[in-house]
Amino acid sequence: MDQQITMHFKPWKINGHLIQSSESLAQLDEEVFFNAPEGLKIVINQLYELSEGKIHSLSIRTSGSTGAPKEIQFTIEEFVASADLSIKALGLNAHSNLLLCLPINSVGGLMMLVRAMHVGAGLITVKPSSVIEPSMFHHQKIHWASMTPHQLVNSQESFQSIENILIGGAALSDATLGSLLKKPERIVESYGMTETLSHIALRERYPNNHRFFSLLEGIKISKADNGALVIEAPHLRTKTHLTNDEVKLMDESHFILIGRLDEVINTGGIKIHPRVVEEILSSNRLEKEFFVCGTPHPELGSQITVVIHAEKDSELSSVEEFIEALDWPNYHKPRKVIARNFVYTATGKIDKRATL
């Protein structure tokens, strides 16, 4: 095997079949990819071409949940360096079985593949779905699966076969965590974005529920003048990344996420983070899927609004009564509740703009 390929990718298995190179990939029967994310075989070939120097970079498209989607180019060195950080943080090795149940065109799905190829692990695939059942991967033992919060809630029957779950794509609320009737051995929430090629920090949610994110090795952080998190990622070509997330720095390696600056609600001149309101509702166990945003108000400019996942307005009154019964900090009490049929992106995030 080419020395350059072995430096980047070890022999690894997909659905029980050994792959050592693009040549061995070509020999696999198409049935191996029957229960897999669309385009998986093409992407594996592209990664081998990247490793061999046949192509210079591979592009990943951002989700578009908070802005216009864009294409970002990454080199093989960046893919491998990012995989190395996660492999060390999660304790992956050649004996690990990883479950791929996210779209391969998302950074979460793509990097799960790269980790398996780089460390020589076993990759088990299922078609991305909101519900992951153990029969979909034949009840095989899974050491790590990467899921969205939406998948986590709907896939509890699979926890009997999955040891650890890495959450990405959206924040995991305390209410969602508390609603789980079954849990795997460990749940870890990730923080990152497409621009940083997967996560740069992790936060344990179960069995311990930490408030803070811990940085991966080598990552450095600071705050911009507006309170936004600034990420220093030495393993990437673009080393400095300014985020839209306001954070509280605990020390040089830990931070608490407050909320997105571009979602701040300016209500009567008072700036309120939706995430703070969401945490109050979640901690008091609002038993509906929801999010908080600002909607127009004739006097205040914007008003704090709770959007619940429901098809009928008749469900609003119980939520309004729930809100009225809570003890709210100054200016944080929602003024309006609306019902919408939620729209999701391909990676399981709530598409707030499309929903509204």
Side-chain angles (χ1 to χ4, degrees), residues 1-65:
M1 195 189 310
D2 188 283
Q3 185 176 0
Q4 187 181 32
I5 299 175
T6 58
M7 180 179 68
H8 298 141
F9 302 132
K10 296 179 180 179
W12 61 291
K13 289 184 178 181
I14 182 167
N15 297 326
H17 297 266
L18 181 66
I19 300 180
Q20 301 187 55
S21 64
S22 54
E23 287 75 18
S24 58
L25 176 69
Q27 295 173 9
L28 292 180
D29 192 283
E30 289 301 317
E31 290 186 2
V32 175
F33 299 92
F34 176 75
N35 190 29
E38 184 178 356
L40 176 59
K41 189 174 182 179
I42 293 172
V43 173
I44 296 173
N45 265 316
Q46 289 175 332
L47 287 168
Y48 276 122
E49 289 179 351
L50 196 62
S51 182
E52 296 165 5
K54 294 180 180 178
I55 56 176
H56 175 68
S57 61
L58 194 61
S59 65
I60 307 178
R61 189 175 178 84
T62 60
S63 67
S65 60

Coordinates of all heavy atoms in Angstrom, one line a residue, residues 1-65:
M1 N 0.8 -1.2 0.0 CA 0.0 0.0 0.0 C 0.9 1.2 0.0 O 1.9 1.3 0.6 CB -0.9 0.0 1.2 CG -2.1 1.0 1.2 SD -2.9 1.1 2.8 CE -3.2 -0.6 3.1
D2 N 0.5 2.3 -0.7 CA 1.2 3.5 -0.7 C 1.5 4.1 0.7 O 0.6 4.2 1.5 CB 0.4 4.6 -1.5 CG 1.2 5.8 -1.8 OD1 1.3 6.6 -0.9 OD2 1.6 6.0 -3.0
Q3 N 2.7 4.5 0.9 CA 3.1 5.0 2.2 C 2.3 6.2 2.7 O 2.0 6.4 3.8 CB 4.6 5.3 2.3 CG 5.1 5.6 3.7 CD 6.6 5.8 3.7 OE1 7.3 5.7 2.7 NE2 7.2 6.1 4.9
Q4 N 2.0 7.1 1.7 CA 1.3 8.3 2.0 C -0.1 8.0 2.5 O -0.6 8.6 3.4 CB 1.2 9.2 0.7 CG 0.6 10.5 1.0 CD 0.5 11.4 -0.3 OE1 0.3 10.8 -1.4 NE2 0.6 12.7 -0.1
I5 N -0.7 6.9 1.9 CA -2.1 6.6 2.3 C -2.1 6.0 3.7 O -2.9 6.3 4.6 CB -2.7 5.5 1.3 CG1 -2.8 6.1 -0.1 CG2 -4.1 5.1 1.8 CD1 -3.3 5.2 -1.1
T6 N -1.1 5.1 4.0 CA -1.0 4.5 5.3 C -0.7 5.5 6.4 O -1.1 5.3 7.5 CB 0.1 3.4 5.3 OG1 1.3 4.0 5.0 CG2 -0.2 2.3 4.3
M7 N -0.1 6.6 6.0 CA 0.2 7.7 7.0 C -1.2 8.3 7.4 O -1.4 8.7 8.6 CB 1.1 8.7 6.4 CG 1.4 9.9 7.3 SD 2.6 11.1 6.6 CE 1.5 11.8 5.3
H8 N -2.1 8.5 6.5 CA -3.4 9.1 6.7 C -4.4 8.1 7.2 O -5.2 8.4 8.1 CB -3.8 9.9 5.5 CG -2.9 11.0 5.1 ND1 -2.6 11.2 3.8 CD2 -2.2 11.9 5.8 CE1 -1.8 12.2 3.7 NE2 -1.5 12.6 4.9
F9 N -4.5 7.0 6.5 CA -5.6 6.0 6.7 C -5.1 4.6 6.9 O -4.3 4.1 6.1 CB -6.6 6.0 5.6 CG -7.2 7.4 5.3 CD1 -7.3 7.9 4.0 CD2 -7.7 8.2 6.3 CE1 -7.8 9.1 3.8 CE2 -8.3 9.4 6.1 CZ -8.3 9.9 4.8
K10 N -5.5 4.0 8.0 CA -5.1 2.6 8.3 C -6.2 1.7 7.6 O -7.3 2.1 7.3 CB -5.1 2.4 9.8 CG -4.0 3.2 10.5 CD -4.0 2.9 12.0 CE -2.9 3.7 12.7 NZ -2.9 3.4 14.1
P11 N -5.9 0.4 7.5 CA -7.0 -0.6 7.2 C -8.1 -0.5 8.2 O -7.9 -0.4 9.4 CB -6.3 -1.9 7.2 CG -4.8 -1.6 7.0 CD -4.6 -0.3 7.7
W12 N -9.3 -0.4 7.7 CA -10.5 -0.2 8.5 C -11.7 -1.0 7.9 O -11.6 -1.6 6.9 CB -10.9 1.3 8.6 CG -11.2 1.9 7.3 CD1 -10.4 2.2 6.2 CD2 -12.5 2.3 6.8 NE1 -11.0 2.7 5.2 CE2 -12.4 2.8 5.5 CE3 -13.8 2.4 7.4 CZ2 -13.4 3.4 4.8 CZ3 -14.8 2.9 6.7 CH2 -14.7 3.4 5.4
K13 N -12.7 -1.1 8.7 CA -13.9 -1.9 8.3 C -15.1 -1.1 8.1 O -15.4 -0.2 9.0 CB -14.1 -3.0 9.3 CG -13.1 -4.1 9.2 CD -13.4 -5.3 10.2 CE -12.4 -6.4 10.1 NZ -12.8 -7.5 11.0
I14 N -15.9 -1.4 7.1 CA -17.2 -0.7 6.9 C -18.2 -1.9 6.9 O -18.1 -2.8 6.0 CB -17.3 0.2 5.7 CG1 -18.6 0.8 5.6 CG2 -16.9 -0.5 4.4 CD1 -18.7 2.0 4.6
N15 N -19.1 -1.9 7.8 CA -20.2 -2.9 7.9 C -19.6 -4.3 7.8 O -20.1 -5.2 7.2 CB -21.2 -2.7 6.8 CG -22.0 -1.4 6.9 OD1 -22.2 -1.0 8.1 ND2 -22.3 -0.8 5.8
G16 N -18.4 -4.5 8.5 CA -17.7 -5.8 8.6 C -16.8 -6.1 7.5 O -16.1 -7.1 7.5
H17 N -16.7 -5.2 6.5 CA -15.8 -5.5 5.3 C -14.5 -4.7 5.4 O -14.6 -3.5 5.6 CB -16.5 -5.2 4.0 CG -17.7 -6.0 3.8 ND1 -17.7 -7.2 3.0 CD2 -19.0 -5.9 4.2 CE1 -18.9 -7.7 3.0 NE2 -19.7 -7.0 3.7
L18 N -13.4 -5.3 5.3 CA -12.1 -4.7 5.4 C -11.8 -3.8 4.2 O -12.0 -4.3 3.0 CB -11.0 -5.7 5.6 CG -9.6 -5.2 5.8 CD1 -9.4 -4.4 7.1 CD2 -8.5 -6.3 5.7
I19 N -11.3 -2.6 4.4 CA -10.9 -1.7 3.3 C -9.5 -1.2 3.6 O -9.2 -0.7 4.7 CB -11.9 -0.5 3.2 CG1 -13.3 -0.9 2.9 CG2 -11.4 0.4 2.1 CD1 -14.3 0.2 2.8
Q20 N -8.6 -1.4 2.6 CA -7.2 -1.0 2.8 C -6.9 0.1 1.8 O -5.9 0.8 2.0 CB -6.3 -2.2 2.6 CG -6.6 -3.3 3.5 CD -5.5 -4.4 3.4 OE1 -4.3 -4.2 3.5 NE2 -6.0 -5.6 3.2
S21 N -7.7 0.3 0.8 CA -7.3 1.3 -0.2 C -8.6 1.5 -1.1 O -9.6 0.9 -1.0 CB -6.2 0.8 -1.1 OG -6.6 -0.3 -1.8
S22 N -8.4 2.4 -2.1 CA -9.5 2.7 -3.0 C -9.8 1.5 -3.9 O -10.9 1.2 -4.3 CB -9.2 3.9 -3.9 OG -8.0 3.8 -4.5
E23 N -8.7 0.7 -4.1 CA -8.9 -0.5 -4.9 C -9.8 -1.6 -4.2 O -10.6 -2.2 -4.8 CB -7.5 -1.2 -5.2 CG -6.7 -0.4 -6.2 CD -6.1 0.9 -5.7 OE1 -6.0 1.0 -4.4 OE2 -5.7 1.7 -6.5
S24 N -9.5 -1.8 -2.9 CA -10.4 -2.7 -2.1 C -11.8 -2.2 -2.0 O -12.7 -2.9 -1.9 CB -9.7 -3.0 -0.8 OG -9.6 -1.8 0.0
L25 N -11.9 -0.9 -2.0 CA -13.3 -0.3 -1.9 C -14.0 -0.6 -3.2 O -15.2 -0.9 -3.1 CB -13.2 1.3 -1.7 CG -14.5 2.0 -1.7 CD1 -15.3 1.8 -0.5 CD2 -14.2 3.6 -1.8
A26 N -13.4 -0.5 -4.3 CA -14.0 -0.8 -5.6 C -14.5 -2.2 -5.7 O -15.4 -2.5 -6.5 CB -13.1 -0.5 -6.7
Q27 N -13.9 -3.1 -5.0 CA -14.3 -4.5 -5.0 C -15.5 -4.9 -4.2 O -16.0 -6.0 -4.3 CB -13.1 -5.4 -4.6 CG -11.9 -5.3 -5.6 CD -10.6 -6.0 -5.0 OE1 -10.7 -6.7 -4.0 NE2 -9.5 -5.8 -5.7
L28 N -15.9 -4.0 -3.3 CA -17.0 -4.3 -2.5 C -18.4 -4.3 -3.2 O -18.6 -3.5 -4.2 CB -17.1 -3.2 -1.3 CG -16.0 -3.2 -0.3 CD1 -16.3 -2.1 0.7 CD2 -15.9 -4.5 0.4
D29 N -19.2 -5.2 -2.9 CA -20.6 -5.3 -3.5 C -21.4 -4.0 -3.0 O -21.2 -3.5 -1.9 CB -21.3 -6.5 -3.0 CG -22.5 -6.8 -3.8 OD1 -23.5 -6.2 -3.5 OD2 -22.5 -7.7 -4.7
E30 N -22.2 -3.5 -3.9 CA -23.0 -2.3 -3.6 C -23.9 -2.6 -2.4 O -24.4 -1.6 -1.8 CB -23.8 -1.9 -4.8 CG -23.0 -1.3 -5.9 CD -22.2 -0.1 -5.5 OE1 -22.8 0.7 -4.8 OE2 -21.0 0.0 -5.8
E31 N -24.2 -3.8 -2.1 CA -25.1 -4.1 -0.9 C -24.5 -3.6 0.4 O -25.2 -3.4 1.4 CB -25.4 -5.6 -0.9 CG -26.4 -6.1 -2.0 CD -26.8 -7.5 -1.8 OE1 -26.4 -8.1 -0.8 OE2 -27.5 -8.0 -2.7
V32 N -23.2 -3.5 0.4 CA -22.5 -3.0 1.6 C -23.0 -1.6 1.9 O -23.0 -1.2 3.1 CB -21.0 -3.1 1.4 CG1 -20.2 -2.4 2.6 CG2 -20.5 -4.5 1.2
F33 N -23.3 -0.8 0.9 CA -23.7 0.6 1.1 C -25.2 0.8 1.0 O -25.7 1.9 0.9 CB -23.0 1.4 0.0 CG -21.5 1.4 0.1 CD1 -20.8 0.4 -0.7 CD2 -20.8 2.2 0.9 CE1 -19.4 0.4 -0.6 CE2 -19.5 2.2 1.0 CZ -18.8 1.2 0.3
F34 N -26.0 -0.3 1.0 CA -27.4 -0.2 0.9 C -28.0 0.5 2.1 O -28.9 1.4 1.9 CB -28.1 -1.6 0.8 CG -29.6 -1.6 0.8 CD1 -30.2 -1.2 -0.4 CD2 -30.3 -1.9 1.9 CE1 -31.6 -1.2 -0.4 CE2 -31.7 -1.9 1.9 CZ -32.4 -1.5 0.7
N35 N -27.6 0.2 3.3 CA -28.1 0.9 4.5 C -27.0 1.9 4.9 O -26.5 1.8 6.0 CB -28.4 -0.1 5.6 CG -29.1 0.5 6.7 OD1 -29.9 1.4 6.6 ND2 -28.9 -0.1 7.9
A36 N -26.8 2.9 4.1 CA -25.7 3.9 4.4 C -26.2 5.3 4.0 O -27.1 5.4 3.1 CB -24.4 3.5 3.7
P37 N -25.6 6.4 4.5 CA -25.9 7.7 4.0 C -25.7 7.8 2.5 O -24.7 7.3 2.0 CB -24.9 8.6 4.8 CG -24.6 7.8 6.0 CD -24.6 6.4 5.6
E38 N -26.5 8.6 1.8 CA -26.4 8.7 0.4 C -25.0 9.4 0.1 O -24.6 10.4 0.7 CB -27.5 9.6 -0.1 CG -27.5 9.8 -1.6 CD -28.7 10.7 -2.1 OE1 -29.5 11.0 -1.2 OE2 -28.8 11.0 -3.3
G39 N -24.3 8.8 -0.9 CA -23.1 9.4 -1.4 C -21.9 8.9 -0.6 O -20.8 9.4 -0.8
L40 N -22.0 8.0 0.3 CA -20.9 7.6 1.2 C -19.7 7.0 0.4 O -18.6 7.4 0.6 CB -21.4 6.5 2.2 CG -20.3 6.0 3.1 CD1 -19.6 7.1 3.9 CD2 -20.9 4.9 4.1
K41 N -20.0 6.1 -0.5 CA -18.9 5.5 -1.3 C -18.1 6.6 -2.1 O -16.9 6.5 -2.2 CB -19.5 4.4 -2.2 CG -18.4 3.6 -2.9 CD -19.0 2.5 -3.7 CE -17.9 1.6 -4.4 NZ -18.5 0.5 -5.2
I42 N -18.8 7.5 -2.6 CA -18.2 8.6 -3.4 C -17.2 9.4 -2.5 O -16.1 9.7 -2.9 CB -19.2 9.6 -4.0 CG1 -20.0 8.8 -5.1 CG2 -18.6 10.8 -4.6 CD1 -21.2 9.6 -5.6
V43 N -17.7 9.7 -1.3 CA -16.9 10.5 -0.3 C -15.7 9.7 0.1 O -14.6 10.3 0.2 CB -17.7 10.9 0.9 CG1 -16.9 11.6 1.9 CG2 -18.8 11.9 0.4
I44 N -15.8 8.4 0.3 CA -14.7 7.6 0.7 C -13.6 7.6 -0.4 O -12.4 7.8 -0.1 CB -15.1 6.1 1.0 CG1 -16.0 6.1 2.2 CG2 -13.8 5.3 1.3 CD1 -16.6 4.7 2.4
N45 N -14.0 7.5 -1.6 CA -13.1 7.6 -2.8 C -12.4 9.0 -2.8 O -11.2 9.1 -3.1 CB -13.9 7.4 -4.1 CG -13.8 5.9 -4.5 OD1 -12.7 5.3 -4.5 ND2 -14.9 5.4 -5.0
Q46 N -13.2 10.0 -2.5 CA -12.6 11.4 -2.5 C -11.5 11.5 -1.4 O -10.5 12.2 -1.6 CB -13.7 12.4 -2.3 CG -14.6 12.6 -3.5 CD -15.8 13.5 -3.3 OE1 -16.2 13.7 -2.1 NE2 -16.3 14.2 -4.3
L47 N -11.8 10.9 -0.3 CA -10.8 11.0 0.8 C -9.5 10.2 0.4 O -8.4 10.7 0.7 CB -11.4 10.4 2.1 CG -12.4 11.3 2.8 CD1 -13.2 10.5 3.9 CD2 -11.8 12.5 3.4
Y48 N -9.7 9.1 -0.3 CA -8.5 8.4 -0.7 C -7.7 9.2 -1.8 O -6.5 9.3 -1.8 CB -8.8 7.0 -1.3 CG -8.9 6.0 -0.2 CD1 -10.1 5.2 0.0 CD2 -7.9 5.7 0.6 CE1 -10.2 4.3 0.9 CE2 -8.0 4.7 1.6 CZ -9.1 4.0 1.8 OH -9.2 3.0 2.7
E49 N -8.5 9.9 -2.7 CA -7.9 10.8 -3.7 C -7.1 11.9 -3.0 O -6.1 12.3 -3.5 CB -8.9 11.3 -4.7 CG -9.5 10.2 -5.6 CD -10.5 10.8 -6.5 OE1 -11.0 11.9 -6.3 OE2 -11.0 10.1 -7.5
L50 N -7.7 12.4 -2.0 CA -7.1 13.5 -1.2 C -5.8 13.1 -0.6 O -4.8 13.7 -0.6 CB -8.1 14.0 -0.1 CG -7.8 15.3 0.5 CD1 -7.9 16.5 -0.5 CD2 -8.9 15.6 1.6
S51 N -5.8 11.9 0.0 CA -4.7 11.3 0.6 C -3.5 11.0 -0.4 O -2.4 11.2 -0.1 CB -5.0 10.0 1.4 OG -3.9 9.4 2.0
E52 N -3.9 10.6 -1.6 CA -2.9 10.3 -2.6 C -2.4 11.6 -3.4 O -1.6 11.5 -4.2 CB -3.6 9.4 -3.7 CG -3.9 8.0 -3.1 CD -4.9 7.2 -4.0 OE1 -5.2 7.7 -5.1 OE2 -5.3 6.1 -3.6
G53 N -3.0 12.7 -3.1 CA -2.6 14.0 -3.7 C -3.2 14.2 -5.1 O -2.8 15.1 -5.8
K54 N -4.3 13.4 -5.4 CA -4.9 13.5 -6.7 C -5.8 14.8 -6.7 O -6.1 15.3 -7.8 CB -5.7 12.3 -7.0 CG -4.9 11.0 -7.3 CD -5.7 9.8 -7.6 CE -4.9 8.6 -7.8 NZ -5.7 7.4 -8.0
I55 N -6.3 15.1 -5.6 CA -7.1 16.4 -5.4 C -6.5 17.1 -4.2 O -5.9 16.5 -3.3 CB -8.6 16.2 -5.2 CG1 -8.9 15.3 -4.0 CG2 -9.2 15.6 -6.5 CD1 -10.3 15.1 -3.7
H56 N -6.6 18.5 -4.3 CA -5.9 19.3 -3.3 C -6.7 19.4 -2.0 O -6.2 19.5 -0.9 CB -5.6 20.7 -3.8 CG -5.0 21.6 -2.8 ND1 -3.7 21.4 -2.3 CD2 -5.5 22.7 -2.2 CE1 -3.5 22.4 -1.4 NE2 -4.5 23.2 -1.4
S57 N -8.1 19.5 -2.2 CA -8.9 19.7 -1.0 C -10.3 19.2 -1.2 O -10.7 18.8 -2.3 CB -9.0 21.2 -0.7 OG -9.6 21.9 -1.8
L58 N -11.1 19.1 -0.1 CA -12.4 18.6 -0.2 C -13.3 19.6 0.5 O -13.0 20.2 1.5 CB -12.5 17.3 0.6 CG -13.8 16.4 0.4 CD1 -13.9 16.0 -1.1 CD2 -13.7 15.2 1.2
S59 N -14.5 19.9 -0.1 CA -15.3 21.0 0.4 C -16.4 20.4 1.3 O -16.9 19.3 1.0 CB -15.9 21.8 -0.8 OG -16.8 21.0 -1.5
I60 N -16.8 21.2 2.3 CA -17.9 20.9 3.1 C -18.9 22.1 3.1 O -18.4 23.3 3.2 CB -17.5 20.6 4.6 CG1 -16.4 19.5 4.6 CG2 -18.7 20.2 5.4 CD1 -15.9 19.2 6.0
R61 N -20.1 21.9 3.0 CA -21.1 23.0 2.9 C -21.7 23.2 4.3 O -22.1 22.2 5.0 CB -22.2 22.6 1.9 CG -23.2 23.7 1.6 CD -24.2 23.3 0.5 NE -25.2 24.3 0.2 CZ -25.0 25.2 -0.7 NH1 -23.8 25.4 -1.3 NH2 -25.9 26.1 -0.9
T62 N -21.8 24.4 4.8 CA -22.4 24.7 6.0 C -23.9 24.5 6.0 O -24.5 24.5 4.9 CB -22.1 26.2 6.5 OG1 -22.7 27.1 5.5 CG2 -20.6 26.4 6.6
S63 N -24.5 24.3 7.1 CA -25.9 23.9 7.1 C -26.9 24.9 6.7 O -28.0 24.6 6.2 CB -26.3 23.4 8.6 OG -26.3 24.5 9.4
G64 N -26.6 26.2 6.9 CA -27.5 27.3 6.5 C -28.6 27.5 7.5 O -29.6 28.2 7.3
S65 N -28.5 27.0 8.7 CA -29.5 27.1 9.7 C -29.5 28.5 10.3 O -30.5 29.0 10.8 CB -29.4 26.1 10.8 OG -28.1 26.2 11.5

